């Protein structure tokens, strides 16, 4: 094994947002020297990493040159320049997750095609190189309202996804490569995080259940364990495992899924990194997803994915009507609630629905945790001065 | 409540060692801007705090000038210039723990006198202004071998404490103010961490049991919960609570105690800060001692001190015969063990018995945890290149 701890080994991370910041907690814990590339000098990681580089993650030269300064490269966001990663890998730099996996996942049409090609259950879809093709398909009666439009590239937090119910909706869509997906009525939206290292050791976290904010299309509560049948949970973990296995994935893969009315599991999409649906692991699990990410990319033994207690996560998003320097209102009140841990990402500026932090609520009793989570959500407000 | 999160509020910390580093994990989590003063530019905190100042913690001007740059001051080590703190407090700076408490605790003779004056059970002792006085006392038959000699000032990790069994031992003692304490045969060495905030809210962590390395006089295992009778545990928590209450303490106070053969509880000494005996809380407790420290000094509600699971801590100290750049041997092997979390403090240089890190082992079953802890201890080695 390489000597990673208190050594000259340098871990490079593309992206310095909140996921990077929570990763730094783990690299600090293990004293792994960490260098970060991000386009903003106000990035949450900027002040607290060992080394910070300012630059555009989508620019070939920037990513390539950054890669040449580190011993192993990973990501905290998937929208990065893959051509540069390919070249770095060719020159011998270990990069996890692998660039070829990132390329497939980065493009939602290719990602869906991958699932279809590998017999991974997913909703039916049609792929269009241009929006115009989608319109023609509709006009020729090949697709019907309602359907789910997804931009092939750079969707994030519900941007790039829209339920299209009318011609007006269709007219309002942005240009570009996209897919039209069958709208599947579902009981639950679930997620499973899978960790896999180079040795091929693979582990899944328990199934979590997600509740979305109806307007903002952002996750409102993440609940672990999901309140579903064991057979459905088992199926969800198996499907997630299959996705990671078929990719030959190295690192953390968050697989989002639908539980249909018929208790089928359909893969919605996967994220090749630590994920909002795994934040609860910091307080609830034997191994947090961020430590697991470090273990998996460094080919260390994977940690126990079981939970010590039930965990629920509430996102702290900017309140509507508030734009400006942030204030967290009623923080003192939520700190009075048992088992509550706030995480403040360090963004100085709030705007409506911006992810500013999250709060984890843990309890031995999941129903108690759910009630306290509601209380947290109704109490704390992210407003501007 | 003050706005501490993502704000202009600046927390100052005297000391930038491993306790400071683990505190930074919490201030980063809550995005509380943190400025550190330490005498070494290689201090574990140096690279990862918001602001780092280089300087001597025992120098009046250095501590005073640092204090003038922050909004609230705390410590991670008690050996600091108290005169400077007194002046800063007089000028209106909030300082927790309070300088007057630090002054008493810093001097072991004064600390013991405090216990005696406040009816807190502690072993009998005699106070000497000079070593010569102690020698005269012995020669005049006023004290007998064996007794425990303690330097009044600047003892740390077993330095400044010696069991004196013979005249040769007595001859070998260093000069200076000291106490001679009755050697009490004890069943167990216990510790309880107490948190108290300005509002007077007060909470104790469960009693932990400590096992010491016989030669190095450093803690080898810290076990939570202590495997003792409930009545003894209750008494230990009550005694610790009384110590914090009598001090009117604000912050975290770690109270080390002896359980005598007769199940009496005697206070050995207290540390006015986060403590090695509380490291297990990071993985095992609802609220880690470092988060609790932040909560208590900022007058926020205190968190739940209960444990989610049993926790055992093993110190990682430099192996004998090894001095130089550090290597953590067999880290991969301990990471394979269930429920194991290593903490590497980031000291580049190892020497025999230097505290380089610790490992926490958590498990639902404390006996299983104890067995795994032994395995960890026998496997990992802190050596030099």
């Amino acid at each position: 094994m390489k000597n990673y701890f208190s050594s000259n080994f340098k871990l490079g991370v593309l992206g310095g947002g909140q996921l990077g910041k929570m990763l730094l907690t783990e690299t600090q814990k293990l004293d792994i020297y960490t260098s970060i590339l991000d386009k903003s000098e106000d990035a949450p990681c900027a002040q607290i990493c060992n080394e910070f580089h300012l630059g555009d993650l989508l620019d070939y030269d920037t990513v390539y040159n950054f890669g040449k300064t580190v011993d192993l490269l990973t990501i905290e966001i998937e929208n990065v320049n893959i051509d540069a990663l390919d070249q770095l890998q060719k020159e011998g730099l270990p990069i996890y997750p692998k660039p070829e996996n990132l390329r497939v996942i980065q493009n939602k049409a290719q990602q869906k095609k991958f699932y279809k090609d590998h017999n991974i259950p997913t909703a039916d879809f049609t792929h269009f190189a241009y929006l115009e093709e989608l319109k023609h398909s509709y006009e020729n009666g090949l697709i019907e309202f309602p359907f789910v439009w997804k931009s092939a590239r750079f969707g994030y937090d519900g941007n790039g996804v829209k339920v299209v119910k009318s011609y007006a909706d269709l007219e309002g869509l942005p240009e570009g490569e996209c897919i039209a997906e069958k709208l599947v009525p579902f009981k639950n939206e679930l997620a499973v995080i899978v960790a896999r290292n180079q040795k091929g050791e693979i582990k899944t976290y328990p199934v979590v259940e997600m509740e979305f904010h109806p307007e903002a299309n952002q996750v409102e509560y993440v609940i672990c364990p999901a309140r579903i049948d064991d057979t459905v949970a088992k199926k969800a973990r198996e499907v997630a495992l299959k996705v990671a296995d078929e990719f030959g994935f190295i690192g953390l893969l968050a697989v989002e899924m639908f539980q249909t009315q018929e208790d089928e599991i359909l893969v919605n999409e996967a994220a090749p990194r630590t994920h909002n649906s795994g934040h609860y692991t910091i307080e609830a699990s034997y191994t947090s997803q961020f430590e697991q990410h470090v273990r998996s990319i460094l080919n260390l033994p994977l940690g126990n994915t079981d939970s010590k207690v039930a965990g629920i996560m509430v996102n702290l998003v900017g309140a509507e009507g508030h734009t400006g320097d942030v204030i967290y209102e009623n923080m003192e009140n939520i700190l009075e609630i048992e088992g509550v841990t706030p995480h403040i990402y360090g963004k100085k500026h709030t705007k409506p629905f911006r992810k500013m932090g999250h709060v984890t609520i843990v309890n031995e009793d999941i129903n108690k945790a759910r009630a306290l989570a509601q209380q947290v959500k109704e109490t704390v407000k992210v407003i501007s001065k």
Side-chain angles (χ1 to χ4, degrees), chain A residues 210-243:
Chain A
M210 294 184 285
E211 281 185 42
F212 279 74
H213 186 283
E215 288 156 51
N217 200 24
Q218 281 185 328
V219 177
E220 203 165 35
Y221 298 106
V222 172
I223 301 170
C224 181
R227 295 160 300 178
I228 55 174
D229 280 357
D230 285 353
T231 49
V232 176
K234 190 163 172 279
K235 202 191 287 180
R237 287 175 91 150
E238 281 166 3
V239 167
L241 209 59
K242 182 171 164 65
V243 175

Side-chain angles (χ1 to χ4, degrees), chain A residues 125-312:
Chain A
F125 71 102
T126 320
H127 175 203
F128 303 99
Y130 307 97
L131 183 64
E132 212 50 36
E133 288 187 8
L134 169 59
K135 287 184 183 165
H136 286 155
S137 265
Y138 173 74
E139 283 155 7
N140 295 326
L142 298 172
I143 52 173
E144 289 178 356
F145 298 135
F147 65 86
V148 182
W149 166 88
K150 288 181 177 174
S151 168
R153 297 181 67 83
F154 303 130
Y156 194 65
D157 279 346
N159 297 316
V161 179
K162 200 170 168 56
V163 178
V164 178
K165 296 175 190 162
S166 67
Y167 198 76
D169 285 350
L170 189 56
E171 287 282 288
L173 293 174
E175 293 297 331
E177 186 187 358
C178 61
I179 60 171
E181 197 177 87
K182 197 179 157 189
L183 181 66
V184 182
F186 57 83
K187 276 189 204 170
N188 278 306
E189 188 148 352
L190 308 173
V192 171
I193 292 175
V194 190
R196 189 173 173 282
N197 64 18
Q198 221 181 328
K199 290 190 282 273
E201 193 189 354
I202 189 163
K203 287 193 181 182
T204 58
Y205 277 89
V207 184
V208 301
E209 174 193 340
M210 294 184 285
E211 281 185 42
F212 279 74
H213 186 283
E215 288 156 51
N217 200 24
Q218 281 185 328
V219 177
E220 203 165 35
Y221 298 106
V222 172
I223 301 170
C224 181
R227 295 160 300 178
I228 55 174
D229 280 357
D230 285 353
T231 49
V232 176
K234 190 163 172 279
K235 202 191 287 180
R237 287 175 91 150
E238 281 166 3
V239 167
L241 209 59
K242 182 171 164 65
V243 175
D245 246 342
E246 296 287 0
F247 272 122
F249 199 83
I250 295 173
L252 244 61
L253 188 72
V255 184
E256 296 184 47
M257 292 168 280
F258 299 118
Q259 175 189 2
T260 68
Q261 302 294 349
E262 296 77 29
D263 285 344
E264 262 190 305
I265 293 293
L266 298 179
V267 172
N268 177 19
E269 62 180 52
R273 50 170 169 77
T274 56
H275 194 251
N276 193 264
S277 68
H279 289 350
Y280 80 93
T281 60
I282 298 174
E283 286 81 16
S285 306
Y286 282 94
T287 312
S288 94
Q289 66 166 341
F290 299 97
E291 180 180 329
Q292 198 76 294
H293 179 76
V294 174
R295 286 177 180 243
S296 60
I297 61 172
L298 298 185
N299 205 22
L300 295 167
L302 300 181
N304 183 355
T305 57
D306 292 344
S307 293
K308 299 167 191 166
V309 283
I312 300 195

Side-chain angles (χ1 to χ4, degrees), chain A residues 3-127:
Chain A
N3 178 26
Y4 299 116
F5 318 103
S6 297
S7 77
N8 293 326
F9 173 82
K10 197 185 278 191
L11 173 65
V13 184
L14 297 176
Q18 62 261 25
L19 299 176
K21 186 185 170 191
M22 290 184 270
L23 183 70
L24 283 177
T25 299
E26 302 305 322
T27 58
Q28 288 171 6
K29 192 172 82 182
L30 295 168
D31 198 40
I32 296 168
Y33 187 100
T34 308
S35 179
I36 303 258
L37 177 67
D38 195 278
K39 70 171 189 300
S40 165
E41 59 189 354
D42 293 329
C45 289
Q47 288 195 324
I48 59 170
C49 56
N50 297 96
E51 198 178 310
F52 185 74
H53 296 252
L54 200 63
D56 183 354
L57 299 172
L58 292 167
D59 179 65
Y60 182 96
D61 288 339
T62 303
V63 171
Y64 176 81
N65 291 331
F66 176 74
K68 294 307 275 182
T69 68
V70 302
D71 296 309
L72 189 148
L73 193 55
T74 189
I75 57 151
E76 63 105 53
I77 185 167
E78 59 270 37
N79 293 332
V80 299
N81 191 299
I82 311 279
D83 292 337
L85 298 189
D86 282 339
Q87 183 56 32
L88 287 163
Q89 185 172 258
K90 210 174 286 172
E91 294 176 21
L93 183 69
I95 304 176
Y96 305 115
K98 292 179 283 184
E100 54 268 38
N101 289 165
L102 291 179
R103 196 180 283 285
V104 171
I105 291 170
Q106 223 184 45
N107 183 301
K108 279 193 189 160
Q110 282 192 46
Q111 198 188 129
K112 289 283 287 190
K113 196 170 169 310
F114 181 89
Y115 299 145
K116 220 175 146 182
D117 291 349
H118 293 82
N119 292 315
I120 292 161
T122 193
D124 289 338
F125 71 102
T126 320
H127 175 203

